[in-house]
Amino acid sequence: MTYVIAQPCIDVKDKACIEECPVDCIYEGPRKMYIQPDECVDCGACEPVCPVEAVFYQDDLPADWADYLGVERDFFATVGAPGGASSQPPLETDHPAVAGEPQRTASS
Amino acid sequence: MPGDPLPLVPWAGTRQSATEFKSDQEVRWCPGCGDYAVLAAVQGFLPELGLARENIVFVSGIGCSSRFPYYMNTYGMHSIHGRAPAIATGLATSRTDLSVWVVTGDGDALSIGGNHLIHALRRNVNLKILLFNNRIYGLTKGQYSPTSETGKITRSTPMGSLETPFNPASLAIGAEATFIARTLDSDRHHLVDVLRQAAVHQGTALVEIYQNCNIFNDGAFAVLKDKRSAQEAVIRLEHGKPIRFGHAGGKGVIRDTATGRLRVVPVTAGNEADVLVHDAHETDPGTAFALSRLADPHTLHHTPIGVLRQVERPDYDTQMAGQLDAAVERDGKGDLAALLAGTDTWTVKE
Ligand SMILES: Cc1ncc(C[n+]2csc(CCOP(=O)(O)OP(=O)(O)O)c2C)c(N)n1
Ligand code: SF4
Ligand code: SF4
Ligand code: SF4
Ligand SMILES: [Mg+2]
């Protein structure tokens, strides 16, 4: 089980969540943050602090964003489990599903 | 199985996964609590041992950390405050086919349960004790504990604690423990490495886990976790390796020949050969004791983590089983009912 960061984070990335994560498993992509599902310990600390309510327990993902569980899983299938985001540079590419989303502007 | 370190505990027979070790209970710690990380690490590690789940038992006392057995899909007991080592001792000695784990907190293990802990350690019962040290009473909302630092201001010490804290690893060495390790809740890799060594140890293994209580004692071990400060603060002990740390292993631990004390020094070509090589199996506990208290108590700089000590000594359960077998051979199988109804009585006269 894991928590998942869904669509509302795209182009927002205020990173309130990473301050809370006790195991440093929230990684930064160019447009979105990503939770490493094998490193997440399900503590739920990231969920309430997100200002745009982008974080969900996997079973509570709204139907519209149900794909984001797969997005995070696929994303880390290539990245692996680095064992801590703060010792890593931000990741260079987003998952294609995220990269393909329209750019969010201040008003949208 | 040949070379099996836990020959008496039955094998699962099938490949297990972490999911099988998760119970259906909703985990109820505060969001962000370090306990979640330890739970995930234990659930992820146990499949590696391959033991039958019905032969694994988690016994805890009272405290936030002691809620652990609810979340494990094994046998378990949320027992009496401080008494988990006593209950687990009974279980481990009477059922040598069980893998028995104790989960306890700094308050549970070292305040009310201090007595039970030290006797379990010296007896060397086959128990693996996970001591969640957050330096606070979490469950009761933030009173100082026996590991809280002197001067600590809490609800029960409004003007600062007047007490000198216990150092759990030093205490365990004094109590004749045969296995003592220290690790961090958030360092999954290190935690699992220590658990792996504890699990196969014959006798009592004490694993002190520095755990963050983000509600009542947040950041107690932050200096050991932050990647920038950890390099200078944490000393990772590895058996057979020189005790070096810091940027490019630039610092080392040597023994001062004049005072006999351990000292941290910059490593140079001139003193490199004097850097202590960690020997966890050394029977004399002197160096392990000095290492257990090397850290600066105020800054936690130079905190050794890893297995401080792992020595062999016959375990209590095997020896007790041996005595029982010998007694049966000599006197035949006992009859408890007959003993209770026996004639070996006397009358106290006025
Ligand atoms: C006999 C008894 N005395 C006192 C208490 C109150 N009490 C409950 S938990 C606890 C200490 C918990 O601290 P710790 O073991 O460090 O566990 P944590 O909650 O920090 O994980 C105390 C004193 C109790 N439940 N029973
Ligand atoms: S707090 Fe929310 S918006 Fe901010 S980075 Fe985390 S998930 Fe994205
Ligand atoms: S649930 Fe906890 S461990 Fe998982 S990403 Fe959120 S803060 Fe990190
Ligand atoms: S009070 Fe502290 S130790 Fe207890 S669950 Fe909350 S964060 Fe964890
Ligand atoms: Mg505690």
Side-chain angles (χ1 to χ4, degrees):
Chain A
M1 291 293 175
T2 181
Y3 278 71
V4 175
I5 298 180
Q7 193 262 1
C9 178
I10 296 175
D11 300 329
V12 176
K13 286 206 314 184
D14 86 327
K15 303 190 195 166
C17 55
I18 63 169
E19 295 299 324
E20 300 299 322
C21 180
V23 294
D24 192 19
C25 70
I26 307 179
Y27 294 75
E28 181 173 2
R31 295 182 59 195
K32 179 185 162 298
M33 306 299 288
Y34 297 83
I35 294 175
Q36 204 317 345
D38 297 323
E39 291 178 356
C40 172
V41 298
D42 292 345
C43 77
C46 49
E47 187 244 42
V49 298
C50 177
V52 293
E53 294 182 26
V55 190
F56 297 90
Y57 186 55
Q58 69 172 68
D59 292 351
D60 302 332
L61 267 171
D64 286 355
W65 299 325
D67 298 352
Y68 277 84
L69 175 61
V71 166
E72 313 254 271
R73 281 227 171 268
D74 287 355
F75 185 71
F76 286 99
T78 45
V79 175
S86 61
S87 52
Q88 288 249 124
L91 302 155
E92 278 168 17
T93 48
D94 277 303
H95 186 278
V98 172
E101 283 279 317
Q103 196 75 31
R104 194 191 303 271
T105 57
S107 58
S108 62
Chain B
M1 177 169 282
D4 172 11
L6 299 169
L8 300 176
V9 186
W11 287 68
T14 52
R15 236 180 118 82
Q16 297 166 314
S17 71
T19 318
E20 286 168 65
F21 284 90
K22 293 182 185 172
S23 77
D24 59 0
Q25 298 298 299
E26 186 193 342
V27 186
R28 294 176 69 176
W29 287 309
C30 306
C33 175
D35 291 357
Y36 285 94
V38 184
L39 178 66
V42 170
Q43 289 168 332
F45 157 72
L46 282 177
E48 225 184 81
L49 285 182
L51 302 175
R53 266 190 300 126
E54 59 273 28
N55 288 71
I56 303 176
V57 190
F58 280 81
V59 184
S60 67
I62 299 295
C64 296
S65 37
S66 288
R67 295 188 58 78
F68 202 93
Y70 293 124
Y71 311 133
M72 294 299 300
N73 198 13
T74 63
Y75 278 97
M77 191 172 178
H78 187 187
S79 81
I80 314 168
H81 204 8
R83 272 61 181 171
I87 291 163
T89 294
L91 198 56
T93 47
S94 56
R95 288 284 304 273
T96 49
D97 60 329
L98 301 181
S99 168
V100 184
W101 299 69
V102 168
V103 175
T104 182
D106 44 320
D108 189 59
L110 301 168
S111 293
I112 194 166
N115 186 20
H116 297 294
L117 180 76
I118 56 177
H119 294 292
L121 293 173
R122 82 181 163 85
R123 285 179 181 144
N124 207 30
V125 186
N126 259 305
L127 303 176
K128 314 304 158 211
I129 303 177
L130 309 182
L131 197 172
F132 290 49
N133 182 5
N134 54 14
R135 309 190 78 176
I136 203 84
Y137 291 175
L139 188 75
T140 47
K141 299 192 162 64
Q143 299 81 3
Y144 78 126
S145 88
T147 58
S148 297
E149 54 278 27
T150 310
K152 176 97 179 162
I153 292 178
T154 70
R155 292 171 188 211
S156 54
T157 50
M159 295 171 72
S161 161
L162 300 171
E163 300 177 19
T164 298
F166 270 140
N167 175 322
S170 295
L171 179 81
I173 293 173
E176 308 291 349
T178 53
F179 183 106
I180 301 148
R182 188 187 279 150
T183 185
L184 307 171
D185 56 0
S186 56
D187 190 337
R188 174 97 164 237
H189 185 79
H190 191 268
L191 175 57
V192 167
D193 185 54
V194 162
L195 290 177
R196 198 175 279 134
Q197 297 180 68
V200 299
H201 176 70
Q202 285 292 314
T204 313
L206 181 85
V207 178
E208 181 191 17
I209 305 169
Y210 284 166
Q211 174 244 324
N212 194 40
C213 167
N214 54 312
I215 302 299
F216 297 112
N217 201 17
D218 194 23
F221 304 105
V223 67
L224 308 179
K225 297 180 175 187
D226 180 274
K227 293 273 177 339
R228 288 166 303 251
S229 56
Q231 204 171 47
E232 293 302 317
V234 177
I235 304 177
R236 289 172 182 266
L237 298 174
E238 276 182 70
H239 175 71
K241 300 256 174 70
I243 307 176
R244 295 180 66 157
F245 65 104
H247 179 65
K251 289 191 177 160
V253 176
I254 61 159
R255 187 177 293 286
D256 186 315
T257 46
T259 63
R261 290 202 191 121
L262 297 189
R263 266 184 35 208
V264 170
V265 295
V267 178
T268 63
N271 68 10
E272 196 169 7
D274 301 332
V275 174
L276 280 183
V277 173
H278 182 49
D279 183 0
H281 308 320
E282 167 60 59
T283 48
D284 184 295
T287 304
F289 186 77
L291 282 171
S292 73
R293 47 204 308 107
L294 185 70
D296 179 318
H298 303 293
T299 63
L300 294 188
H301 273 199
H302 309 155
T303 296
I305 64 168
V307 178
L308 288 147
R309 176 167 169 81
Q310 194 274 313
V311 295
E312 303 295 330
R313 195 170 76 227
D315 63 84
Y316 188 87
D317 3 346
T318 312
Q319 293 188 98
M320 188 172 121
Q323 287 191 344
L324 290 175
D325 289 347
V328 168
E329 198 167 303
R330 195 184 57 211
D331 305 328
K333 202 163 167 11
D335 180 348
L336 184 61
L339 182 72
L340 291 175
T343 53
D344 189 8
T345 59
W346 62 92
T347 307
V348 181
K349 296 221 174 80
E350 276 180 43

